[in-house]
Amino acid sequence: MNYYEKFRVKPGSKVHLDNIDASFKGEHENHRSALPEIQDYNRKIRDLQYLMYAEHKHSLLICLQGRDAAGKDGTINHVLSAMNPQGCTVTGFKQPTAEELDHDFLWRCHKAVPRRGNVAIFNRSHYEDVLVQRVHQMVPKEVWSKRYDHINNFEKLLTDNNTLILKFYLHIDAKEQLARFKKRIDDPTRHWKISESDYTEACYWDAYTGAFQDALEKCSTDYAPWFVIPSNHKWFRNLAISHIVAKAMESLDMAFPKPTENIDEIKKKYHSLDQREQKKGLISGEKKSPKKKK
Amino acid sequence: MNYYEKFRVKPGSKVHLDNIDASFKGEHENHRSALPEIQDYNRKIRDLQYLMYAEHKHSLLICLQGRDAAGKDGTINHVLSAMNPQGCTVTGFKQPTAEELDHDFLWRCHKAVPRRGNVAIFNRSHYEDVLVQRVHQMVPKEVWSKRYDHINNFEKLLTDNNTLILKFYLHIDAKEQLARFKKRIDDPTRHWKISESDYTEACYWDAYTGAFQDALEKCSTDYAPWFVIPSNHKWFRNLAISHIVAKAMESLDMAFPKPTENIDEIKKKYHSLDQREQKKGLISGEKKSPKKKK
């Protein structure tokens, strides 16, 4: 199944989150049957990341948004497991600092975008400024309503500079959220993850739905698409995201750069060096190679 | 004279730099007669900068562009002389580093924009990417031609966040440039400022004229105006810029924030403290104030 097209928010379309099945599983029944496919995508992602680094032309920005307990941290662990961490940065956007509040809302995000050849993952992102800030009326409508255009312009700037942007909304339903909260309460090793705001935020469920829908509708563009990923099943969420990331990276049509040296010449040199060394070994008999020693 | 309106590039208008008198002097004949007016503006700027810091709502970004020897450094010294340097940063944009080149062209500039209440001066700016990069074909037209929109979007983002943007093109003519180069050659203390590129760049005079005109026409907006400042006379350049900066800051209609404490209560407390101390002094006679000692 082409999850890229299936879950992409088409520009100009309407989004009704309540009508989207958060428990969707596609062709697989469970994690076990999906695993080979997931592993296949992850191998592809790792190869493509290496190619991206070598080509030094594109970069990749993955933005993760979702309600509390939607699985942002779990998704990051999953995506990172497919990547070489040396070429990948993760930035979490929590409550802004005083210095960040003293700048426009994109300032802190712009600093964290991936450099050429690299990958950046945003755990929450510049969309917080049209989500939590809107829901809790931290800024007036007059301010947040202008931000959708600023976001689209910003993302155009990045894509014009060859940054591939993929934005995932991790879609869970209220029942699943509650179940995950309960699991945290029952498990002492997860207590640190519990905060009172989880429960107060859950009271704003409908307000968040409206804010998410607006962000998805206004900011899913041809150049920086949003995907609504059914995320009640973590394994399916991982499958869909790996599929989409691999597919999008493939479409960049990347190629290894031409070598700057004459490789045939270098091969010849090595060959003659090798022969000389072998000859030496035969004549003097000293310093046998470790292989021969065994 | 209202230099703000006189030198502002009206949005949608055409700019013909060759037809603009770089030796314009306005109402004054020389530096001496202009000095009181300059000092008056500079006092205003200093007061308004303090007010801007106190109000903590607006910020000010000054961008300086111009040909070699147009007087960017001199202008910065002049503007800084009117400012409290603690609330003012100066960033020079030279040849981009490898890390900067690995990002979009606005990345390095965005990092340097002023935080709320502060002033930032750009010595060269994000416009370099539609000037030197265009003239020397460092990027293809397909890339630099998209940048005007990105610049306008970026400046809208900043102004929506209450950053006042003032952009000055320091206009000198070819004769004046040559004269300044000669002065450098004749003065050993200025030899460090001479680089061969000064002379090679001068050969691109017409190409730069075209690039400057395009930038001025495409990016002088209602919210982030360009000013073409006649700069053959340094004192006039300083006068005009001080005038415009003061006028623009004044138009922000800033006000000191309301005190968060009850000042009358505090006054009363100090008053009673003061009385107690005075009483003590009268009785014990010890520790006279330094004023009384004199």
Side-chain angles (χ1 to χ4, degrees), chain A residues 6-21:
Chain A
K6 185 169 175 62
F7 298 138
R8 184 170 68 94
V9 177
K10 276 82 186 166
S13 69
K14 288 275 155 204
V15 178
H16 301 284
L17 289 175
D18 289 343
N19 300 342
I20 298 175
D21 179 11

Side-chain angles (χ1 to χ4, degrees), chain A:
Chain A
M1 201 178 285
N2 184 346
Y3 294 134
Y4 187 101
E5 278 312 314
K6 185 169 175 62
F7 298 138
R8 184 170 68 94
V9 177
K10 276 82 186 166
S13 69
K14 288 275 155 204
V15 178
H16 301 284
L17 289 175
D18 289 343
N19 300 342
I20 298 175
D21 179 11
S23 293
F24 183 85
K25 292 194 286 186
E27 291 145 352
H28 296 285
E29 252 322 291
N30 51 43
H31 187 203
R32 185 203 289 237
S33 85
L35 197 56
E37 205 181 324
I38 296 176
Q39 286 172 335
D40 194 38
Y41 295 135
N42 282 4
R43 262 189 302 272
K44 262 189 200 153
I45 291 173
R46 184 171 267 262
D47 291 345
L48 288 161
Q49 187 201 7
Y50 181 67
L51 183 55
M52 182 179 267
Y53 185 80
E55 196 192 34
H56 197 251
K57 178 181 172 188
H58 299 275
S59 60
L60 169 62
L61 172 61
I62 295 174
C63 297
L64 297 174
Q65 291 285 166
R67 298 172 196 268
D68 291 322
K72 293 182 288 290
D73 291 321
T75 303
I76 290 171
N77 289 340
H78 171 72
V79 174
L80 275 182
S81 75
M83 299 246 183
N84 179 341
Q86 278 195 73
C88 184
T89 58
V90 180
T91 309
F93 294 96
K94 310 223 164 144
Q95 255 188 317
T97 64
E99 190 185 14
E100 288 167 355
L101 282 174
D102 270 2
H103 289 94
D104 64 88
F105 76 106
L106 293 173
W107 182 77
R108 63 177 185 161
C109 298
H110 205 168
K111 289 201 293 180
V113 299
R115 70 185 283 179
R116 216 177 292 281
N118 283 47
V119 179
I121 303 177
F122 283 4
N123 185 354
R124 305 180 187 268
S125 66
H126 41 299
Y127 285 92
E128 285 298 298
D129 300 274
V130 290
L131 294 168
V132 62
Q133 293 217 356
R134 163 176 163 172
V135 168
H136 291 290
Q137 297 167 22
M138 292 151 94
V139 292
K141 181 172 184 181
E142 175 200 331
V143 170
W144 60 253
S145 62
K146 283 180 186 167
R147 289 180 172 166
Y148 301 101
D149 281 344
H150 288 311
I151 288 174
N152 288 338
N153 292 336
F154 173 58
E155 293 179 355
K156 186 84 176 69
L157 169 73
L158 301 181
T159 49
D160 272 355
N161 198 50
N162 293 326
T163 299
L164 171 66
I165 303 178
L166 300 171
K167 300 174 292 189
F168 298 105
Y169 171 71
L170 309 181
H171 179 48
I172 56 170
D173 52 33
K175 217 179 120 194
E176 178 66 18
Q177 188 186 46
L178 204 63
R180 292 187 184 183
F181 284 161
K182 270 191 184 153
K183 230 177 176 173
R184 286 184 188 173
I185 292 172
D186 295 342
D187 178 356
T189 71
R190 293 179 184 223
H191 279 178
W192 64 274
K193 273 197 149 191
I194 299 172
S195 80
E196 203 189 308
S197 76
D198 291 351
Y199 304 91
T200 50
E201 285 296 284
C203 302
Y204 292 92
W205 183 275
D206 290 334
Y208 270 108
T209 301
F212 275 122
Q213 287 177 170
D214 263 10
L216 295 166
E217 289 171 5
K218 289 179 198 286
C219 299
S220 190
T221 54
D222 286 329
Y223 51 91
W226 266 111
F227 300 88
V228 177
I229 306 294
S231 301
N232 276 3
H233 299 290
K234 293 172 185 173
W235 62 266
F236 180 77
R237 171 200 77 200
N238 292 347
L239 169 70
I241 289 178
S242 285
H243 173 112
I244 291 168
V245 171
K247 206 173 169 62
M249 290 179 88
E250 253 173 355
S251 74
L252 294 178
D253 227 3
M254 297 181 286
F256 285 102
K258 293 253 177 301
T260 51
E261 306 291 333
N262 186 330
I263 300 297
D264 285 334
E265 281 301 315
I266 290 172
K267 269 186 186 164
K268 267 186 220 160
K269 271 184 203 161
Y270 274 115
H271 185 68
S272 62
L273 261 175
D274 199 42
Q275 278 188 324
R276 212 173 57 193
E277 287 303 307
Q278 277 188 14
K279 232 175 169 175
K280 263 195 204 166
L282 284 173
I283 296 167
S284 68
E286 59 182 28
K287 267 197 185 175
K288 281 178 189 170
S289 75
K291 225 178 183 176
K292 284 179 183 167
K293 263 187 179 166
K294 274 178 195 167

Side-chain angles (χ1 to χ4, degrees), chain B residues 277-289 292:
Chain B
E277 287 302 307
Q278 277 188 11
K279 231 172 168 177
K280 264 194 204 169
L282 285 175
I283 295 168
S284 68
E286 60 182 25
K287 264 195 185 174
K288 281 177 188 170
S289 74
K292 283 179 185 170

Side-chain angles (χ1 to χ4, degrees), chain B residues 126-144:
Chain B
H126 41 299
Y127 284 92
E128 285 298 297
D129 300 275
V130 290
L131 294 168
V132 62
Q133 294 217 356
R134 165 177 161 171
V135 168
H136 291 290
Q137 297 168 22
M138 292 150 94
V139 293
K141 180 172 183 181
E142 176 198 330
V143 170
W144 60 253

Side-chain angles (χ1 to χ4, degrees), chain B residues 68-125:
Chain B
D68 291 323
K72 294 183 288 291
D73 291 322
T75 304
I76 291 172
N77 290 340
H78 171 72
V79 174
L80 275 183
S81 75
M83 299 246 183
N84 178 341
Q86 277 196 76
C88 185
T89 59
V90 180
T91 309
F93 294 96
K94 310 223 164 146
Q95 255 188 316
T97 65
E99 190 185 14
E100 288 167 354
L101 282 174
D102 270 3
H103 289 94
D104 63 88
F105 75 106
L106 293 172
W107 183 76
R108 63 177 184 161
C109 298
H110 204 168
K111 290 200 293 181
V113 300
R115 72 184 283 179
R116 216 177 291 282
N118 283 48
V119 179
I121 304 177
F122 283 5
N123 185 354
R124 305 181 187 267
S125 66

